[in-house]
Amino acid sequence: MAVSLINLVIILITSKKEEINKKLNYTKIMNLLLAGFTIIILCSSFYRMYLYEQAYGYTFLRLMVYFALITEIILIIPTIMYILDIKINLTKTYFVVIILMYILVNYVNIDYMIAKKNIDRYFEDANYELDMNYLQTLSVDATGQIIRLQNAEDENILKQVNYYLYKVKSETENINLQNF
């Protein structure tokens, strides 16, 4: 991600200088190549994160990396338009894309998604080792999915699920309106 951000800054700086000297098509071609290579870097990062997630399961940080990579890929589109001299307010476009992705991240129930995907995988793949310690750190949003683990055959997981449900019940039993 850092390399792709550096590439983006280089593109913006060199495209800005190109406005002064319109004769340099070489700079435009190099910036388009750099944008293309940045897309390749982002796709490679996305695929490597996918492989990592397939091996070890979903976590909050891994999902945030997905969101950041998708945001960067979306930001390349107006950057390419800027390189091609298509009239676009780049700052406003970046701002809108980043705000929309931020709203999306805050609107998605991430803890529920993490619990659902990891538990689904646990029931589908007998070799998958479920990280109950991590699932217990998720918010109450994950409780509905963790309840599904009461059907698990592993005694250790059943004990951890029962402990988690007891803990959630005791934390939410006498909650007042202000804490809610």
Side-chain angles (χ1 to χ4, degrees), residues 22-150:
K22 293 283 186 181
K23 295 179 182 176
L24 290 178
N25 282 334
Y26 176 77
T27 305
K28 189 180 290 189
I29 292 169
M30 287 296 121
N31 282 341
L32 287 172
L33 283 173
L34 190 57
F37 292 143
T38 303
I39 291 171
I40 292 170
I41 289 170
L42 292 172
C43 290
S44 172
S45 299
F46 196 89
Y47 183 68
R48 282 183 279 129
M49 182 52 65
Y50 170 77
L51 292 175
Y52 192 72
E53 168 262 312
Q54 288 296 310
Y56 300 108
Y58 287 89
T59 64
F60 180 79
L61 182 60
R62 292 176 193 142
L63 288 179
M64 289 300 104
V65 169
Y66 279 133
F67 274 110
L69 290 171
I70 291 168
T71 302
E72 284 189 74
I73 289 173
I74 293 170
L75 290 177
I76 291 291
I77 296 167
T79 305
I80 291 172
M81 294 170 65
Y82 181 75
I83 293 169
L84 296 173
D85 293 329
I86 297 173
K87 298 296 178 199
I88 185 170
N89 187 338
L90 201 58
T91 308
K92 190 182 290 186
T93 305
Y94 282 174
F95 184 74
V96 168
V97 168
I98 291 170
I99 292 297
L100 286 175
M101 289 303 287
Y102 179 75
I103 290 169
L104 180 65
V105 164
N106 285 297
Y107 189 71
V108 172
N109 193 345
I110 292 178
D111 286 348
Y112 173 85
M113 186 185 313
I114 292 168
K116 180 174 180 5
K117 295 288 187 179
N118 287 336
I119 292 169
D120 286 347
R121 230 165 117 209
Y122 171 75
F123 284 124
E124 292 170 4
D125 184 3
N127 296 327
Y128 180 69
E129 189 173 324
L130 186 65
D131 188 359
M132 272 305 296
N133 292 327
Y134 180 75
L135 289 180
Q136 289 179 1
T137 65
L138 299 176
S139 69
V140 178
D141 295 337
T143 304
Q145 291 299 315
I146 293 175
I147 288 174
R148 291 177 41 211
L149 288 172
Q150 290 178 323

